[in-house]
Every structure is written in structure tokens, then in C-alpha cells.
Amino acid sequence: MDQEQKHQIRGYEFHVAGALEKDGRYRGMILISKRGDTLQVYAKPVLIETLSSFKSVHAALIEASAYAQELIYNGAINALLPVDAPMASKQTPQPPDFVGN
């Protein structure tokens, strides 16, 4: 990945990146690290690639950013994200369940 940019929209946290492909073109990638609807933080970011590739990394970054915004604002991103993915260790500790007599 040549460049990365971090974004936060409606509680979603993600990076956009441009990956150089074998043919010399760049593909935009979205790496989601936090869901906005459930506030779940992923231990390993979820990758969503753009459909198009470009001659410049700048164009790939713009496409990835625009695609992420479109997915978030119309709610389609929820269908692409796993519900039960491993969560990061930043969770708040839960009190133990005690069974008493």
C-alpha cells in the first residue's frame, strides 16, 4: 500500500488505501476497523475493495473514500460487515456472573 488516510463517519472508523496491482494500476481499498451501528471494534480490519482500478494512487484513494461514504450513508455497509467477527481487546471488562446461595 502506498498511501493511507483515516476517516470517521457516523461512528464508522476506516482507512482508505491504494494498492498497486500487477498491471501497474491502483485499486482503492477500504479497511473498516469500527462499526458505527454497534460500535464494535474489529481486531483485524475488514477489507472492502473498489470495483475500479486507476492509473494514479490519488484517483484510487478518492474512489475508495467516495465508495465508503456511499456505503455508510445509504446503510449498505452493514450487509458487507461480519456481525460476529473477533473484537479488539479494547472492550470494557464485564463483571463476573456470581451464583450465590
Side-chain angles (χ1 to χ4, degrees):
M1 285 185 253
D2 291 315
Q3 299 203 5
E4 290 189 24
Q5 298 176 3
K6 184 176 181 180
H7 301 276
Q8 294 181 341
I9 299 174
R10 291 191 175 178
Y12 289 89
E13 290 182 7
F14 60 95
H15 284 82
V16 294
L20 182 61
E21 297 183 325
K22 291 180 183 178
D23 63 357
R25 298 175 64 87
Y26 293 90
R27 181 165 307 274
M29 300 187 324
I30 306 163
L31 298 150
I32 309 288
S33 57
K34 181 180 175 185
R35 286 183 74 117
D37 56 348
T38 63
L39 302 180
Q40 178 183 8
V41 177
Y42 295 112
K44 182 179 177 184
V46 178
L47 171 66
I48 301 171
E49 292 186 3
T50 61
L51 302 175
S52 303
S53 61
F54 301 89
K55 290 183 181 180
S56 76
V57 68
H58 184 69
L61 293 173
I62 291 170
E63 174 71 7
S65 181
Y67 188 41
Q69 289 180 40
E70 180 181 348
L71 291 172
I72 290 169
Y73 286 125
N74 71 23
I77 196 161
N78 295 332
L80 300 174
L81 296 176
V83 177
D84 57 353
M87 293 178 62
S89 60
K90 295 180 182 177
Q91 321 179 150
T92 55
Q94 298 294 322
D97 290 333
F98 292 110
V99 178
N101 289 335

